Amino acid sequence: MGSIPITRSIQPEVDMDASLQDCDVASAAWSTWHHVPWVDAHRVVARLQARIAKATKAGEWRKVRTLQKLLTKSTSAKALAVRRVTENQGARTPGVDRQLWDTPDAKWHAVVALGSTQYKPLPLRRIYIPKTNGDKRPLGIPTMRDRAMQALHLLALDPVAETTGDPHSYGFRRERSTADAIEQVRNVLGRDASPKWVLEGDIKGCFDNISHDWLAANVCMDKGILRKWLKAGFIETGKLFPSQAGTPQGGIISPVLANIALDGLQHELTTLFSTVRQAREAKVNLVRYADDFIITGSSKELLEERVKPLIVQFLAARGLALSEKKTKITHVTEGFDFLGWNVRRFHRMLVTQPSKKNVKAFLDKIRDHLRSHKAAAQADVIDKLAPVIRGWANYHRSQMASQRFSRCDHQIWKALWRWACRRHPEKGARWIKKRYFKSLKGRDWRFATMDKLLPTLSEYRKRPHTKVKAEANPYDPEYDEYFSKRLARKMDGTLEGRRKLRWLWWMQEGLCPACQQRITRESGWHLHHIIKRSQRGSDKLTNLVLLHPNCHMQYHATENDGPVAGISMFK
């Protein structure tokens, strides 16, 4: 099945007054949450974001700030910001005010009130989440209003961050992933002439220590709003603590602020060499994912004496420092861990496979699930374990994981066998096998019920990943077709094995008919019956449509009010 381009509608550039008029006209007739025409809202915001990216690329910073101000005052942007914070995973997690926007009226009132000149953020609610090394990571939870304000200003800041970001930075950026980062590692280390030494960098408390003064001086956004966020403080055990440095982990805009603080390191590394020949011989390359990065070099002395001091100086200006405990220089034949993979050169070949630490964490999670579901039905156990296995397999299947997959399958089988034997201590092995394990798809010992089957890692064959172009910018209309084709390939794999959903996605050209925006794994989808099941509607493809979750709710909330723009087109 060939790729179907999914192009985004970007209107021709117009003057500032016309853009402002468009924003006002588009929102003048809006009166409730379910009557927001999302096609118009996305079109207004996308046009302004494209203009911000274009002005940033041209270095017209005054125009950038003017366009950002226009965008943050747009009702379209406010509606999209509220939609984002009420649909993501934290939508049911309140801040210190204990308020949630879980009704259409609350969402619409939030849109109307967003962006007040008297805005003052409330302190964050501090909680702690466990880390893999046994420590706890502090997490700051803003209120719903503060999250929406951050999402609103992020719409204006992200085009700037994407345009000015390091080409080989892959963390917390649109259309980029860990798979892109590991493929770039293979690019710089996978040849015979590639560098043989790697500096593994780790920044000590990156989010907690970024200088507020540096951010205020260098981030292109409303300085007053930014300072209010940075100085909001946090509440823990009923006490208010001030914020002196850092951006709170848990804030929507925090990852982009951290990326901006670390962008520029790739350019700084090029200043080490006065000629192209020296740079080519040094073989210095940077690959970064958020605050984890590696830098390659032709020798250990080069990395130790020239590269590392430059990094220390670069970070010090931003209030940051390298972690001496985790930062080390390694030869590629010894191997190193990066983003859950182990990278090692073995017999003139670069081997990238799941790291032992990552495998152990995965198996421990499987065993913990089984321990906590000792008395659960087999179908419930399959429902719990299947997403964990599927997610881990999809994460690693782009690399050399088949051997680790086979070993993990054996360990999972052993854990399942122990779980089954514990439930029936007086039964024999033959009875237990017949009760819980089937012979399916040419393979025995499949953990399955009559209608549910636990997937195995070995089913997931290697699927090579094509790295994103380093210069590709999702806010530049020039790359619309490029990203559309990438999304088509990605969704083809995401919907693998789900034939009906796959065909619907392709027939709709990857777009939601209601808002004309892309349907992705991140956005989620709902299967809508054009003729309802209660009215004897069938499950055939001709009676089904894929919609975004919010568009699905909006349709059912307004279906008795007459036609609404963008909603009834698929009837």
Side-chain angles (χ1 to χ4, degrees):
M1 200 178 293
S3 296
I4 300 176
I6 311 162
T7 55
R8 179 178 54 181
S9 178
I10 301 294
Q11 300 296 325
E13 186 168 337
V14 294
D15 59 42
M16 206 73 63
D17 293 335
S19 295
L20 183 57
Q21 186 179 7
D22 286 347
C23 295
D24 293 339
V25 171
S27 60
W30 303 357
S31 57
T32 65
W33 176 255
H34 283 314
H35 284 82
V36 175
W38 294 109
V39 175
D40 295 337
H42 280 289
R43 185 181 297 118
V44 168
V45 172
R47 181 172 64 245
L48 288 173
Q49 287 180 320
R51 294 181 65 188
I52 290 172
K54 181 179 178 181
T56 302
K57 188 175 181 179
E60 300 174 353
W61 294 105
R62 180 175 295 181
K63 186 176 181 180
V64 169
R65 286 187 286 270
T66 303
L67 288 167
Q68 286 181 322
K69 187 175 181 180
L70 178 64
L71 179 56
T72 54
K73 289 186 175 181
S74 163
T75 307
S76 298
K78 294 176 184 178
L80 291 180
V82 172
R83 179 175 177 174
R84 173 173 179 175
V85 301
T86 55
E87 289 187 358
N88 61 16
Q89 291 182 347
R92 298 184 182 275
T93 306
V96 293
D97 61 354
R98 298 294 175 181
Q99 291 185 5
L100 292 176
W101 297 339
D102 51 4
T103 66
D105 286 341
K107 295 175 185 179
W108 179 247
H109 289 317
V111 173
V112 174
L114 204 61
S116 170
T117 55
Q118 302 300 321
Y119 169 70
K120 183 178 180 181
L122 293 176
L124 308 172
R125 182 162 69 93
R126 172 64 65 89
I127 63 173
Y128 291 89
I129 56 177
K131 298 171 67 175
T132 54
N133 60 5
D135 295 337
K136 292 186 176 181
R137 186 192 309 276
L139 190 68
I141 302 177
T143 63
M144 293 297 292
R145 188 188 183 202
D146 293 337
R147 276 179 251 175
M149 281 292 288
Q150 289 188 20
L152 176 62
H153 284 269
L154 180 59
L155 290 172
L157 177 61
D158 203 40
V160 178
E162 283 291 337
T163 305
T164 60
D166 284 344
H168 296 302
S169 164
Y170 299 96
F172 303 117
R173 295 181 64 180
R174 278 187 58 187
E175 312 293 348
R176 299 189 179 215
S177 65
T178 52
D180 294 309
I182 195 66
E183 286 300 325
Q184 179 60 18
V185 171
R186 293 191 61 83
N187 288 346
V188 299
L189 293 176
R191 301 177 178 85
D192 289 340
S194 297
K196 300 298 186 289
W197 291 93
V198 175
L199 185 150
E200 304 171 59
D202 187 89
I203 301 172
K204 187 187 301 181
C206 178
F207 280 85
D208 299 328
N209 297 309
I210 300 176
S211 168
H212 287 177
D213 292 336
W214 191 94
L215 288 174
N218 293 275
V219 176
C220 185
M221 65 170 290
D222 188 306
K223 308 297 183 185
I225 295 289
L226 178 59
R227 284 192 177 277
K228 286 179 181 179
W229 286 334
L230 296 176
K231 300 298 183 183
F234 62 91
I235 290 180
E236 185 178 4
T237 62
K239 296 181 181 179
L240 176 63
F241 296 88
S243 301
Q244 302 299 333
T247 61
Q249 295 188 57
I252 288 177
I253 205 170
S254 295
V256 176
L257 295 178
N259 262 341
I260 292 174
L262 298 176
D263 283 333
L265 179 57
Q266 192 165 334
H267 173 72
E268 288 294 319
L269 291 171
T270 63
T271 63
L272 285 172
F273 313 104
S274 55
T275 65
V276 175
R277 182 177 179 180
Q278 289 180 350
R280 190 183 301 116
E281 292 175 351
K283 301 178 181 178
V284 173
N285 300 282
L286 168 72
V287 183
R288 180 170 68 84
Y289 188 93
D291 58 340
D292 291 329
F293 62 90
I294 66 159
I295 299 177
T296 65
S298 58
S299 68
K300 184 176 182 179
E301 292 73 21
L302 171 68
L303 295 175
E304 185 70 51
E305 298 172 7
R306 300 188 65 184
V307 173
K308 190 174 179 180
L310 176 67
I311 299 171
V312 171
Q313 181 181 357
F314 175 85
L315 295 177
R318 292 150 175 80
L320 301 172
L322 284 175
S323 170
E324 293 296 332
K325 181 180 178 181
K326 297 181 180 179
T327 301
K328 52 187 176 180
I329 299 174
T330 310
H331 197 274
V332 290
T333 56
E334 299 175 18
F336 62 93
D337 290 350
F338 186 59
L339 302 177
W341 286 287
N342 179 262
V343 182
R344 183 167 70 101
R345 193 164 185 82
F346 183 73
H347 290 300
R348 299 184 64 183
M349 180 176 67
L350 191 71
V351 178
T352 52
Q353 57 187 354
S355 67
K356 293 181 179 178
K357 184 178 179 181
N358 191 270
V359 169
K360 182 179 183 301
F362 167 67
L363 293 176
D364 286 346
K365 189 173 184 178
I366 295 289
R367 292 169 184 139
D368 289 342
H369 274 302
L370 291 174
R371 290 191 195 101
S372 61
H373 291 79
K374 293 179 181 178
Q378 185 181 9
D380 294 336
V381 172
I382 293 175
D383 289 339
K384 284 288 183 182
L385 295 185
V388 178
I389 294 173
R390 190 182 301 118
W392 196 79
N394 283 326
Y395 184 87
H396 288 291
R397 68 188 300 186
S398 65
Q399 305 304 310
M400 305 172 180
S402 58
Q403 191 176 57
R404 293 284 164 92
F405 279 6
S406 296
R407 292 178 181 177
C408 287
D409 274 339
H410 181 64
Q411 293 298 322
I412 293 172
W413 174 84
K414 289 173 66 175
L416 291 170
W417 181 252
R418 285 195 299 269
W419 175 86
C421 291
R422 188 187 298 118
R423 292 167 66 91
H424 305 282
E426 297 181 359
K427 296 291 185 179
R430 288 180 183 273
W431 186 94
I432 294 174
K433 178 184 182 299
K434 186 177 180 180
R435 170 70 175 78
Y436 292 103
F437 297 89
K438 314 292 182 190
S439 180
L440 298 169
K441 297 184 178 181
R443 179 174 173 177
D444 202 4
W445 292 96
R446 297 300 302 271
F447 192 73
T449 63
M450 292 296 293
D451 56 350
K452 291 185 179 181
L453 172 66
L454 185 69
T456 61
L457 294 168
S458 301
E459 296 174 3
Y460 293 84
R461 302 298 181 186
K462 183 175 180 180
R463 187 172 65 210
H465 177 80
T466 303
K467 190 184 80 69
V468 67
K469 291 181 180 178
E471 69 278 6
N473 185 344
Y475 295 102
D476 188 342
E478 177 186 347
Y479 291 100
D480 271 354
E481 185 176 355
Y482 170 75
F483 283 117
S484 296
K485 291 180 179 179
R486 283 183 63 84
L487 176 62
R489 289 196 298 269
K490 179 180 178 181
M491 289 299 291
D492 207 30
T494 299
L495 299 176
E496 185 179 2
R498 289 179 276 185
R499 183 179 300 177
K500 188 172 290 187
L501 291 177
R502 192 163 171 250
W503 271 105
L504 283 172
W505 193 90
W506 278 93
M507 286 193 295
Q508 295 174 201
E509 298 187 359
L511 298 178
C512 171
C515 65
Q516 292 298 302
Q517 297 301 302
R518 296 171 179 173
I519 297 175
T520 66
R521 183 170 55 187
E522 292 74 20
S523 71
W525 56 79
H526 272 217
L527 198 58
H528 171 73
H529 287 73
I530 299 175
I531 301 176
K532 297 179 181 179
R533 283 182 172 178
S534 60
Q535 299 172 357
R536 305 298 182 185
S538 71
D539 289 333
K540 294 182 179 179
L541 290 175
T542 53
N543 192 49
L544 297 175
V545 176
L546 283 181
L547 299 175
H548 286 133
N550 186 77
C551 295
H552 192 229
M553 289 188 296
Q554 184 178 8
Y555 173 80
H556 285 296
T558 59
E559 59 182 333
N560 296 324
D561 298 343
V564 178
I567 296 297
S568 58
M569 64 177 62
F570 52 82
K571 271 189 155 182

